[in-house]
């Protein structure tokens, strides 16, 4: 007989321990069910969320809800011209979003709602930072005569406004 068969045969009594087995005769032929699980199944969604470690009465719920305001503000800035956006502010939002996304998956209890809002905050920040950097790069690539021509046009428009006023 192979040595592994002897090993499994010798280990068989360990797995037959009464701790691991189900004795139907002892429980009247019925399966065991704890009372806690039946009570929990009868609780409403609101009650479970209220008593949850990341439920309605904790900061783990309200912090992400309020942080969605930052994401919405960043999305609304997509309509603004890139020259009016702050690179440092958007870089800070990007870093915050990406760093805290990772942190939300390490802490106990894991807060997936906060991880989601931080992920989207990081994505919005990346988009805004890339818009700003592309605009700055386009400004560096303009030749000096083209930039002077643009300034002349702006001055002419302002002069027309002053004369007409």
């Amino acid at each position: 007989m192979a040595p592994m068969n002897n090993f499994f045969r010798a280990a068989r009594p360990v797995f037959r321990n009464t701790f691991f087995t189900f004795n139907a005769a002892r429980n009247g032929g019925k399966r065991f069910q704890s009372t806690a699980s039946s009570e929990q199944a009868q609780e409403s969604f609101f009650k479970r969320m209220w008593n949850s470690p990341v439920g309605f009465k904790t900061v783990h719920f309200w912090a992400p809800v309020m942080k969605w305001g930052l994401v919405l503000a960043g999305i609304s800035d997509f309509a603004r011209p890139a020259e009016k956006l702050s690179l440092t502010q958007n870089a800070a939002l990007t870093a915050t979003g990406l760093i805290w996304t990772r942190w939300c998956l390490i802490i106990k209890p894991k807060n997936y709602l906060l991880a989601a809002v931080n992920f989207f905050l990081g994505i919005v920040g990346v988009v805004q930072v890339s818009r700003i950097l592309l605009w700055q790069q386009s400004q560096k690539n303009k030749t000096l005569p083209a930039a002077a021509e643009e300034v002349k046009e702006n001055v002419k428009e302002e002069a027309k406004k002053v004369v007409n006023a």
Side-chain angles (χ1 to χ4, degrees), residues 19-36:
F19 179 74
F20 295 112
T21 60
F22 173 73
N23 188 352
R26 184 175 34 177
N27 293 325
K30 297 179 182 175
R31 290 186 174 197
F32 175 76
Q33 182 175 357
S34 70
T35 56

Side-chain angles (χ1 to χ4, degrees), residues 7 9 13 26 36 40-41 48 51 55 61 64 75 81 99 117 120 122 125:
F7 173 75
R9 186 174 293 134
R26 184 175 34 177
Q40 195 174 36
R48 283 184 310 207
N51 294 326
F61 176 79
I75 290 171
I99 290 168
V117 72
F120 283 106

Side-chain angles (χ1 to χ4, degrees), residues 13-164:
V14 173
F15 294 108
R16 288 186 180 169
N17 188 346
T18 58
F19 179 74
F20 295 112
T21 60
F22 173 73
N23 188 352
R26 184 175 34 177
N27 293 325
K30 297 179 182 175
R31 290 186 174 197
F32 175 76
Q33 182 175 357
S34 70
T35 56
S37 65
S38 64
E39 289 174 6
Q40 195 174 36
Q42 294 174 355
E43 285 184 348
S44 68
F45 171 77
F46 184 77
K47 178 100 172 156
R48 283 184 310 207
M49 278 301 290
W50 187 258
N51 294 326
S52 171
V54 291
F56 295 135
K57 62 182 179 181
T58 65
V59 72
H60 298 289
F61 176 79
W62 289 107
V65 168
M66 296 300 148
K67 204 165 190 179
W68 277 110
L70 291 175
V71 175
L72 294 174
I75 290 171
S76 69
D77 284 345
F78 288 163
R80 293 179 69 194
E83 61 265 13
K84 295 195 178 200
L85 298 175
S86 169
L87 179 63
T88 54
Q89 178 182 358
N90 283 291
L93 286 175
T94 302
T96 299
L98 298 178
I99 290 168
W100 290 104
T101 298
R102 175 70 179 126
W103 181 79
C104 292
L105 300 174
I106 295 173
I107 60 169
K108 301 270 191 244
K110 289 184 180 184
N111 196 340
Y112 295 112
L113 185 59
L114 188 58
V117 72
N118 282 313
F119 175 76
F120 283 106
L121 185 63
I123 295 299
V124 167
V126 166
V127 170
Q128 295 290 45
V129 167
S130 63
R131 284 183 60 216
I132 294 168
L133 293 177
L134 287 173
W135 178 79
Q136 288 178 350
Q137 190 64 31
S138 71
Q139 295 301 309
K140 288 181 183 178
N141 291 339
K142 281 188 175 180
T143 61
L144 186 58
E149 191 64 35
E150 185 179 327
V151 170
K152 279 184 190 180
E153 293 297 324
N154 289 340
V155 169
K156 286 181 185 178
E157 289 174 11
E158 292 297 322
K160 287 180 184 178
K161 289 179 185 176
V162 170
V163 170
N164 293 335

